[in-house]
Amino acid sequence: EVQLVESGGDLVQPGGSLRLSCAASGFTISNYWMHWVRQAPGKGLVWVSRINSDGSSISYAASVKGRFTISRDSAKNTLYLNMNSLRAEDTAVYYCARHVIDDSGSKFDPWGQGTLVTVSS
Amino acid sequence: DIVMTQSPDSLAVSLGERATINCKSSQSILYSSNNKNYLAWYQQKPGQPPKLLIYWASTRESGVPDRFSGSGSGTDFTLTISSLQAADVAIYYCQQFYSIPYTFGQGTKLEIK
């Protein structure tokens, strides 16, 4: 079964750091583009970051650029999001998602269940 | 960035009736090279991650009931639920894959009237 499981969410003070993990099973993450998407409490979905299949291309939303770093460990089949200089507005559930791009379509599937990051003093 | 605007923000429909949600992009998301619209629709229920319903604007994901359909091209898109069921109460989002950042619409909350 293709599955993504996030972990690492926590309560952190403003200015602090956190590392989120997204463990994949049923597929190899280095064969796909992988993304992070976040959702603040009661709000909509916001794309955060992407790493392409060979790791040569990385993109970030303007709101997190310079503070967040996406990476992956192919041996562990795990995606990461390192988050520094955290702000209250970074409070959200963070989802990882696999980006399927082929002749059948372009889509985020599956999504993980999400991990909650709360930035507060 | 491409801005995705959904309408309405909320919608109440009677069971068995049709529900229609619109999504408009600030620029065309139709790739001329393959004539595909890079748009997806998701359903999200409370406490759950988004679930893919439709991709390429009109292709239903495997396992999604056929009462869900997508249409449109260029900048204007529609998600239609032909006969609303209680299980369809959720928030629906559109998302463009034309260019990064892959922006989402603000969501449409669908309720039972």
Side-chain angles (χ1 to χ4, degrees):
Chain A
E1 181 190 4
V2 173
Q3 192 174 14
L4 295 167
V5 178
E6 301 96 334
S7 60
D10 204 349
L11 171 63
V12 61
Q13 292 189 341
S17 298
L18 208 56
R19 187 177 84 160
L20 306 183
S21 300
C22 168
S25 57
F27 72 101
T28 301
I29 63 169
S30 57
N31 290 337
Y32 293 88
W33 292 17
M34 297 294 297
H35 298 254
W36 288 98
V37 175
R38 69 184 182 184
Q39 187 171 36
K43 302 298 184 181
L45 300 166
V46 177
W47 177 86
V48 173
S49 183
R50 176 222 71 182
I51 184 167
N52 72 342
S53 54
D54 66 7
S56 64
S57 180
I58 286 174
S59 300
Y60 299 98
S63 58
V64 307
K65 195 169 186 178
R67 300 188 298 122
F68 290 11
T69 302
I70 190 172
S71 63
R72 68 179 186 206
D73 184 328
S74 297
K76 295 183 178 179
N77 210 29
T78 299
L79 178 73
Y80 300 103
L81 187 67
N82 281 281
M83 312 163 67
N84 296 321
S85 304
L86 283 162
R87 307 166 180 167
E89 54 264 35
D90 295 319
T91 294
V93 172
Y94 285 74
Y95 297 101
C96 60
R98 180 181 71 167
H99 188 172
V100 177
I101 312 169
D102 56 30
D103 290 343
S104 71
S106 180
K107 52 193 175 182
F108 281 9
D109 184 59
W111 296 60
Q113 285 295 315
T115 187
L116 176 62
V117 173
T118 304
V119 184
S120 175
S121 55
Chain B
D1 297 359
I2 297 176
V3 177
M4 306 300 288
T5 304
Q6 291 181 228
S7 63
D9 290 334
S10 63
L11 181 63
V13 174
S14 300
L15 290 172
E17 296 299 306
R18 178 186 299 262
T20 301
I21 299 170
N22 300 300
C23 176
K24 186 175 183 67
S25 57
S26 60
Q27 66 183 72
S28 177
I29 55 175
L30 171 66
Y31 260 116
S32 57
S33 59
N34 60 5
N35 202 38
K36 297 290 188 184
N37 289 280
Y38 278 64
L39 181 109
W41 287 98
Y42 301 92
Q43 175 194 66
Q44 187 179 34
K45 297 182 178 181
Q48 297 184 18
K51 173 189 174 184
L52 175 68
L53 298 175
I54 303 284
Y55 57 94
W56 273 347
S58 60
T59 301
R60 194 181 307 112
E61 175 70 350
S62 176
V64 173
D66 62 6
R67 63 180 181 273
F68 290 90
S69 63
S71 63
S73 185
T75 61
D76 292 281
F77 302 91
T78 300
L79 175 69
T80 301
I81 307 172
S82 59
S83 177
L84 189 70
Q85 306 298 304
D88 301 334
V89 170
I91 299 176
Y92 292 83
Y93 295 93
C94 60
Q95 181 194 18
Q96 63 82 16
F97 287 92
Y98 187 87
S99 64
I100 284 179
Y102 292 149
T103 43
F104 294 86
Q106 80 276 18
T108 295
K109 187 175 184 179
L110 178 58
E111 299 173 312
I112 303 294
K113 184 186 292 183

